[in-house]
Amino acid sequence: MAMTEATREVGVVLRRRSIDNPWIDHMWSPVTVLDEVPDTAPWTVLSTEADATIYYAGSASIDLFSSDTANYRDNLADGEPRIWVALRRPDGGSELELTKVTADPTEGEAMFESGCDVIGTVAMPPEIASWIAAFVDEFHVERVFHKRKRNLTSEDRKREASEGTADKRKGGA
């Protein structure tokens, strides 16, 4: 079965906030995902406050796969659908690189274990939610769960045989 894929480019906005911590002096977090990519250069300062600076980090693609429609559907049904954003410091430097944006909650949660320096979620914009819902409506196929029966080892067969014999003796049959 061929896997259907759809891709959408989005813009990513981040916040760099000063913090009072003995080991680090600031913290990065995603602020929003824009449903369209603006004509703005990556890492442009959008606004500055007393303890925070907002940046347009650049564009990234959200990739949808027909094999993951159940995950997208669960995200949309959650009531507050999320987008996961991951950034990394290449070669341990101070610069950040936008590495992944996803609407798949399973993939998003796995990113927390990936070693990326910055992982966060943002609210999914309504236009992106509509796009994902249309993809799910078109390509989702409900898969029936079939419980597999495990193959018995020779030890399992011996144990079942002895338990079966013991049950017959107890019952008097």
Coordinates of all heavy atoms in Angstrom, one line a residue, residues 22-90:
P22 N 21.7 29.9 38.0 CA 23.1 29.9 38.1 C 23.8 29.3 36.9 O 25.0 29.5 36.6 CB 23.5 29.2 39.4 CG 22.2 28.5 39.7 CD 21.1 29.2 39.1
W23 N 23.1 28.4 36.1 CA 23.8 27.7 35.0 C 23.5 28.3 33.6 O 24.3 28.1 32.7 CB 23.4 26.2 35.1 CG 23.9 25.6 36.3 CD1 25.2 25.1 36.5 CD2 23.2 25.3 37.5 NE1 25.3 24.6 37.8 CE2 24.1 24.7 38.4 CE3 21.9 25.6 37.9 CZ2 23.7 24.4 39.7 CZ3 21.5 25.2 39.2 CH2 22.4 24.6 40.1
I24 N 22.4 28.9 33.5 CA 22.0 29.5 32.1 C 21.4 30.8 32.4 O 20.8 31.1 33.4 CB 21.1 28.6 31.3 CG1 19.8 28.3 32.1 CG2 21.7 27.3 30.9 CD1 18.7 27.5 31.3
D25 N 21.6 31.7 31.4 CA 21.1 33.1 31.6 C 19.8 33.3 30.8 O 19.2 34.4 30.9 CB 22.1 34.1 31.2 CG 22.6 34.0 29.8 OD1 22.2 33.1 29.1 OD2 23.4 34.9 29.4
H26 N 19.4 32.4 29.9 CA 18.2 32.6 29.1 C 17.6 31.2 28.7 O 18.2 30.2 28.9 CB 18.4 33.4 27.8 CG 19.3 32.7 26.9 ND1 20.7 32.7 26.9 CD2 19.0 31.9 25.8 CE1 21.2 32.0 26.0 NE2 20.2 31.5 25.3
M27 N 16.3 31.3 28.3 CA 15.6 30.1 27.9 C 14.8 30.4 26.6 O 14.3 31.5 26.5 CB 14.6 29.8 29.0 CG 14.1 28.4 29.0 SD 13.3 28.1 30.6 CE 12.4 26.7 30.2
W28 N 14.8 29.4 25.7 CA 14.1 29.5 24.5 C 12.8 28.8 24.6 O 12.7 27.7 25.2 CB 14.9 29.0 23.3 CG 16.1 29.8 22.9 CD1 17.4 29.6 23.4 CD2 16.1 30.8 22.0 NE1 18.2 30.5 22.8 CE2 17.4 31.3 21.9 CE3 15.1 31.5 21.2 CZ2 17.8 32.3 21.1 CZ3 15.5 32.5 20.4 CH2 16.9 32.9 20.3
S29 N 11.7 29.3 23.9 CA 10.5 28.5 23.8 C 9.7 29.0 22.6 O 9.8 30.1 22.2 CB 9.6 28.8 25.1 OG 9.3 30.1 25.2
P30 N 9.0 28.0 22.0 CA 8.2 28.4 20.8 C 7.0 29.2 21.3 O 6.4 28.9 22.4 CB 7.8 27.0 20.2 CG 8.0 26.0 21.3 CD 9.0 26.6 22.2
V31 N 6.6 30.2 20.5 CA 5.5 31.0 20.8 C 4.3 30.7 19.9 O 3.2 30.5 20.4 CB 5.9 32.5 20.6 CG1 4.6 33.4 20.7 CG2 7.0 32.9 21.5
T32 N 4.5 30.5 18.6 CA 3.4 30.2 17.7 C 4.0 29.6 16.4 O 5.2 29.8 16.1 CB 2.6 31.5 17.4 OG1 1.4 31.0 16.8 CG2 3.3 32.5 16.6
V33 N 3.1 29.0 15.7 CA 3.4 28.5 14.3 C 2.4 29.3 13.4 O 1.2 29.4 13.7 CB 3.2 27.0 14.2 CG1 3.2 26.6 12.8 CG2 4.2 26.2 15.0
L34 N 3.0 30.0 12.4 CA 2.2 30.8 11.5 C 1.7 29.9 10.4 O 2.5 29.1 9.8 CB 3.1 31.9 10.9 CG 3.8 32.8 12.0 CD1 4.7 33.7 11.3 CD2 2.7 33.6 12.8
D35 N 0.5 30.0 10.0 CA 0.0 29.1 8.9 C 0.5 29.5 7.5 O 0.4 28.7 6.6 CB -1.6 29.1 8.9 CG -2.1 30.5 8.6 OD1 -1.7 31.5 9.1 OD2 -3.1 30.5 7.7
E36 N 1.2 30.6 7.4 CA 1.8 31.0 6.2 C 3.2 31.5 6.5 O 3.5 32.0 7.5 CB 1.0 32.1 5.4 CG -0.3 31.6 4.9 CD -1.0 32.6 4.1 OE1 -0.4 33.6 3.7 OE2 -2.2 32.5 3.9
V37 N 4.2 31.3 5.6 CA 5.5 31.7 5.7 C 5.6 33.2 5.3 O 5.4 33.5 4.2 CB 6.5 30.8 4.9 CG1 7.9 31.3 5.1 CG2 6.4 29.4 5.3
P38 N 6.0 34.0 6.2 CA 6.1 35.5 5.9 C 7.4 35.7 5.1 O 8.3 35.0 5.1 CB 6.2 36.1 7.3 CG 6.8 35.1 8.2 CD 6.3 33.8 7.7
D39 N 7.4 36.9 4.5 CA 8.6 37.4 3.7 C 9.6 38.0 4.7 O 9.9 39.2 4.6 CB 8.3 38.3 2.6 CG 7.5 37.6 1.5 OD1 7.8 36.4 1.3 OD2 6.7 38.3 0.8
T40 N 10.0 37.3 5.7 CA 10.9 37.8 6.8 C 12.1 36.9 6.8 O 11.9 35.7 6.8 CB 10.1 37.8 8.1 OG1 8.9 38.6 8.0 CG2 11.0 38.4 9.2
A41 N 13.3 37.5 7.0 CA 14.5 36.7 7.1 C 14.5 35.9 8.4 O 14.0 36.4 9.4 CB 15.7 37.6 7.0
P42 N 15.0 34.7 8.4 CA 15.1 33.9 9.6 C 15.9 34.7 10.7 O 16.9 35.4 10.3 CB 15.8 32.6 9.2 CG 15.5 32.5 7.7 CD 15.4 33.9 7.2
W43 N 15.5 34.5 11.9 CA 16.2 35.1 13.1 C 16.0 36.6 13.1 O 16.8 37.3 13.7 CB 17.6 34.6 13.3 CG 17.6 33.1 13.4 CD1 18.0 32.2 12.5 CD2 17.1 32.4 14.5 NE1 17.7 30.9 13.0 CE2 17.2 31.0 14.2 CE3 16.5 32.8 15.8 CZ2 16.8 30.0 15.1 CZ3 16.1 31.8 16.6 CH2 16.2 30.4 16.3
T44 N 15.0 37.1 12.5 CA 14.6 38.5 12.6 C 14.0 38.8 14.0 O 13.1 38.0 14.4 CB 13.7 38.9 11.5 OG1 14.3 38.7 10.2 CG2 13.2 40.4 11.6
V45 N 14.4 39.8 14.6 CA 13.8 40.2 15.9 C 12.4 40.9 15.6 O 12.3 41.8 14.8 CB 14.6 41.2 16.7 CG1 13.9 41.8 17.9 CG2 16.0 40.6 17.1
L46 N 11.3 40.3 16.2 CA 10.0 40.9 15.9 C 9.6 41.9 17.0 O 8.9 42.8 16.7 CB 9.0 39.7 15.9 CG 9.2 38.7 14.8 CD1 8.1 37.6 14.9 CD2 9.2 39.3 13.4
S47 N 10.0 41.6 18.2 CA 9.7 42.6 19.3 C 10.7 42.3 20.5 O 11.3 41.2 20.6 CB 8.3 42.4 19.8 OG 8.1 41.2 20.5
T48 N 10.9 43.4 21.3 CA 11.7 43.3 22.4 C 11.0 43.8 23.7 O 10.4 44.9 23.6 CB 13.0 44.1 22.2 OG1 13.7 43.6 21.0 CG2 14.0 43.9 23.4
E49 N 11.1 43.1 24.7 CA 10.5 43.5 26.0 C 11.6 43.6 27.0 O 12.8 43.3 26.7 CB 9.4 42.5 26.4 CG 8.3 42.3 25.4 CD 7.4 41.1 25.7 OE1 7.7 40.4 26.7 OE2 6.6 40.8 24.9
A50 N 11.3 43.9 28.3 CA 12.3 44.0 29.3 C 13.1 42.8 29.5 O 14.4 42.8 29.6 CB 11.7 44.4 30.6
D51 N 12.5 41.6 29.5 CA 13.2 40.4 29.8 C 13.0 39.3 28.7 O 13.4 38.2 28.9 CB 12.7 39.8 31.1 CG 11.3 39.3 31.1 OD1 10.5 39.8 30.2 OD2 10.9 38.5 32.0
A52 N 12.5 39.7 27.5 CA 12.3 38.7 26.5 C 12.4 39.4 25.1 O 12.1 40.6 24.9 CB 10.9 38.1 26.6
T53 N 12.8 38.6 24.1 CA 12.9 39.0 22.7 C 12.2 37.9 21.9 O 12.4 36.7 22.1 CB 14.4 39.1 22.3 OG1 15.1 40.0 23.1 CG2 14.5 39.6 20.8
I54 N 11.3 38.4 21.0 CA 10.6 37.5 20.1 C 11.3 37.5 18.7 O 11.5 38.6 18.2 CB 9.1 38.0 20.0 CG1 8.5 38.1 21.4 CG2 8.3 37.0 19.1 CD1 8.3 36.9 22.1
Y55 N 11.5 36.3 18.2 CA 12.2 36.1 16.9 C 11.3 35.3 16.0 O 10.6 34.4 16.4 CB 13.5 35.3 17.1 CG 14.6 35.9 17.9 CD1 14.6 35.8 19.2 CD2 15.6 36.6 17.2 CE1 15.7 36.4 20.0 CE2 16.6 37.2 17.9 CZ 16.6 37.1 19.3 OH 17.7 37.6 20.0
Y56 N 11.4 35.7 14.7 CA 10.9 34.8 13.6 C 12.1 33.9 13.3 O 13.1 34.3 12.8 CB 10.5 35.6 12.4 CG 10.2 34.7 11.2 CD1 9.1 33.8 11.3 CD2 11.0 34.6 10.1 CE1 8.8 33.0 10.3 CE2 10.7 33.8 9.1 CZ 9.6 32.9 9.2 OH 9.4 32.1 8.1
A57 N 11.9 32.6 13.7 CA 13.0 31.6 13.6 C 13.2 31.1 12.1 O 14.3 30.7 11.8 CB 12.7 30.4 14.5
G58 N 12.2 31.2 11.3 CA 12.3 30.7 10.0 C 11.1 29.8 9.6 O 10.2 29.7 10.4
S59 N 11.3 29.1 8.5 CA 10.2 28.2 8.0 C 10.6 26.8 8.3 O 11.8 26.5 8.4 CB 9.9 28.5 6.5 OG 11.0 28.1 5.8
A60 N 9.6 26.0 8.3 CA 9.7 24.5 8.5 C 8.5 23.9 7.8 O 7.5 24.5 7.6 CB 9.8 24.1 10.0
S61 N 8.6 22.6 7.6 CA 7.5 21.9 6.9 C 6.8 21.0 7.9 O 7.5 20.4 8.8 CB 7.9 21.2 5.7 OG 8.8 20.2 6.0
I62 N 5.5 20.9 7.9 CA 4.8 19.9 8.6 C 4.4 18.9 7.6 O 3.8 19.1 6.5 CB 3.5 20.5 9.2 CG1 3.8 21.6 10.2 CG2 2.6 19.4 9.8 CD1 2.6 22.2 10.8
D63 N 4.9 17.6 7.8 CA 4.6 16.5 6.9 C 3.6 15.6 7.5 O 3.6 15.2 8.7 CB 5.9 15.7 6.7 CG 7.0 16.6 6.1 OD1 6.8 17.4 5.2 OD2 8.2 16.4 6.5
L64 N 2.6 15.3 6.7 CA 1.5 14.3 7.1 C 1.7 13.1 6.3 O 2.0 13.1 5.1 CB 0.2 15.0 6.8 CG -0.2 16.3 7.5 CD1 -1.6 16.7 7.1 CD2 0.0 16.2 9.0
F65 N 1.4 11.9 6.9 CA 1.5 10.6 6.3 C 0.2 9.9 6.6 O -0.3 9.9 7.7 CB 2.7 9.8 6.9 CG 4.0 10.5 6.6 CD1 4.5 11.3 7.6 CD2 4.7 10.4 5.4 CE1 5.8 12.0 7.4 CE2 5.9 11.0 5.2 CZ 6.4 11.8 6.2
S66 N -0.3 9.2 5.6 CA -1.5 8.5 5.7 C -1.5 7.4 6.8 O -2.5 7.0 7.4 CB -2.0 7.9 4.4 OG -1.0 7.0 3.9
S67 N -0.3 6.9 7.0 CA -0.1 5.8 8.1 C -0.3 6.4 9.5 O -0.5 5.6 10.5 CB 1.2 5.1 8.0 OG 2.3 6.1 8.1
D68 N -0.2 7.7 9.7 CA -0.3 8.3 11.0 C -1.6 9.1 11.2 O -1.7 9.9 12.2 CB 0.8 9.3 11.1 CG 2.2 8.6 11.1 OD1 2.3 7.5 11.5 OD2 3.2 9.3 10.7
T69 N -2.6 8.9 10.4 CA -3.9 9.6 10.5 C -4.6 9.4 11.9 O -5.2 10.4 12.4 CB -4.9 9.3 9.4 OG1 -5.1 7.9 9.4 CG2 -4.4 9.8 8.1
A70 N -4.4 8.3 12.5 CA -5.0 8.1 13.8 C -4.4 9.0 14.8 O -5.1 9.5 15.7 CB -4.9 6.6 14.3
N71 N -3.1 9.2 14.7 CA -2.4 10.1 15.7 C -2.9 11.6 15.5 O -3.1 12.3 16.4 CB -0.9 10.1 15.5 CG -0.4 8.7 15.9 OD1 -1.0 7.9 16.6 ND2 0.8 8.4 15.4
Y72 N -3.0 12.0 14.2 CA -3.5 13.4 13.9 C -4.9 13.5 14.4 O -5.3 14.6 15.0 CB -3.5 13.7 12.4 CG -2.2 13.4 11.7 CD1 -2.1 12.8 10.5 CD2 -0.9 13.7 12.3 CE1 -0.9 12.5 9.9 CE2 0.3 13.5 11.7 CZ 0.3 12.9 10.5 OH 1.5 12.6 9.8
R73 N -5.8 12.5 14.2 CA -7.2 12.5 14.6 C -7.2 12.7 16.1 O -8.0 13.5 16.7 CB -7.9 11.3 14.2 CG -9.4 11.2 14.5 CD -10.0 9.9 14.3 NE -9.3 8.9 15.1 CZ -9.3 7.6 15.0 NH1 -10.1 7.1 14.1 NH2 -8.6 6.8 15.8
D74 N -6.4 11.9 16.9 CA -6.4 12.0 18.3 C -6.0 13.4 18.8 O -6.5 14.0 19.7 CB -5.4 11.0 18.9 CG -5.9 9.6 18.8 OD1 -7.1 9.4 18.4 OD2 -5.1 8.7 19.0
N75 N -5.0 14.0 18.1 CA -4.5 15.4 18.4 C -5.7 16.4 18.2 O -5.9 17.2 19.1 CB -3.3 15.7 17.5 CG -2.7 17.0 17.9 OD1 -3.0 17.7 18.9 ND2 -1.7 17.4 17.2
L76 N -6.4 16.3 17.1 CA -7.5 17.2 16.8 C -8.6 17.0 17.8 O -9.3 18.0 18.2 CB -8.0 17.0 15.4 CG -7.0 17.4 14.3 CD1 -7.5 16.9 12.9 CD2 -6.8 18.9 14.3
A77 N -8.9 15.8 18.2 CA -10.0 15.5 19.1 C -9.7 15.9 20.5 O -10.6 15.9 21.4 CB -10.3 14.0 19.0
D78 N -8.5 16.2 20.8 CA -8.1 16.5 22.2 C -8.7 17.8 22.7 O -8.7 18.0 23.9 CB -6.5 16.6 22.2 CG -6.0 16.8 23.6 OD1 -6.6 16.2 24.6 OD2 -5.0 17.5 23.8
G79 N -9.3 18.6 21.9 CA -9.9 19.8 22.3 C -9.0 21.0 22.2 O -9.4 22.1 22.0
E80 N -7.7 20.8 22.4 CA -6.7 21.9 22.2 C -5.5 21.3 21.4 O -4.5 20.9 22.0 CB -6.2 22.4 23.6 CG -5.4 23.6 23.4 CD -5.0 24.2 24.8 OE1 -5.8 24.1 25.7 OE2 -3.8 24.6 24.9
P81 N -5.7 21.1 20.1 CA -4.7 20.5 19.3 C -3.3 21.3 19.4 O -3.4 22.5 19.5 CB -5.2 20.4 17.9 CG -6.4 21.3 17.9 CD -6.8 21.5 19.3
R82 N -2.2 20.5 19.3 CA -0.9 21.1 19.5 C 0.0 20.8 18.3 O -0.2 19.9 17.5 CB -0.2 20.5 20.7 CG -1.0 20.5 22.0 CD -1.4 21.8 22.5 NE -0.3 22.6 23.0 CZ -0.4 23.9 23.3 NH1 -1.5 24.5 23.2 NH2 0.7 24.6 23.7
I83 N 1.0 21.7 18.2 CA 2.1 21.5 17.2 C 3.4 21.4 18.0 O 3.6 22.2 19.0 CB 2.2 22.7 16.2 CG1 0.9 22.8 15.4 CG2 3.4 22.5 15.3 CD1 0.8 21.8 14.3
W84 N 4.2 20.5 17.7 CA 5.5 20.3 18.4 C 6.6 20.9 17.6 O 6.7 20.8 16.4 CB 5.8 18.8 18.7 CG 5.0 18.2 19.8 CD1 5.5 18.0 21.1 CD2 3.7 17.8 19.8 NE1 4.5 17.4 21.8 CE2 3.4 17.3 21.0 CE3 2.7 17.8 18.8 CZ2 2.1 16.8 21.4 CZ3 1.4 17.3 19.1 CH2 1.2 16.8 20.4
V85 N 7.5 21.7 18.3 CA 8.6 22.4 17.6 C 9.9 21.9 18.3 O 10.0 21.9 19.5 CB 8.5 23.9 17.7 CG1 9.7 24.6 17.1 CG2 7.2 24.4 17.1
A86 N 10.9 21.6 17.5 CA 12.2 21.1 18.0 C 13.3 22.0 17.4 O 13.3 22.2 16.2 CB 12.5 19.7 17.7
L87 N 14.2 22.4 18.2 CA 15.4 23.2 17.8 C 16.6 22.5 18.4 O 16.6 21.9 19.5 CB 15.3 24.6 18.2 CG 14.1 25.4 17.7 CD1 13.1 25.6 18.8 CD2 14.6 26.6 17.0
R88 N 17.8 22.7 17.8 CA 19.0 22.1 18.2 C 20.2 23.1 18.1 O 20.1 23.9 17.2 CB 19.3 20.8 17.4 CG 20.6 20.1 17.7 CD 20.7 18.8 17.0 NE 19.7 17.9 17.5 CZ 19.0 17.1 16.8 NH1 19.1 17.0 15.5 NH2 18.1 16.3 17.3
R89 N 21.2 22.9 18.9 CA 22.4 23.7 18.8 C 23.4 22.9 18.0 O 24.0 22.0 18.6 CB 22.9 24.1 20.2 CG 22.1 25.1 20.9 CD 22.8 25.5 22.2 NE 22.1 26.6 22.8 CZ 21.0 26.6 23.5 NH1 20.3 25.4 23.6 NH2 20.4 27.7 24.0
P90 N 23.6 23.2 16.8 CA 24.6 22.4 16.0 C 26.0 22.6 16.6 O 26.4 23.7 16.9 CB 24.5 22.9 14.6 CG 23.6 24.1 14.6 CD 23.0 24.2 16.0

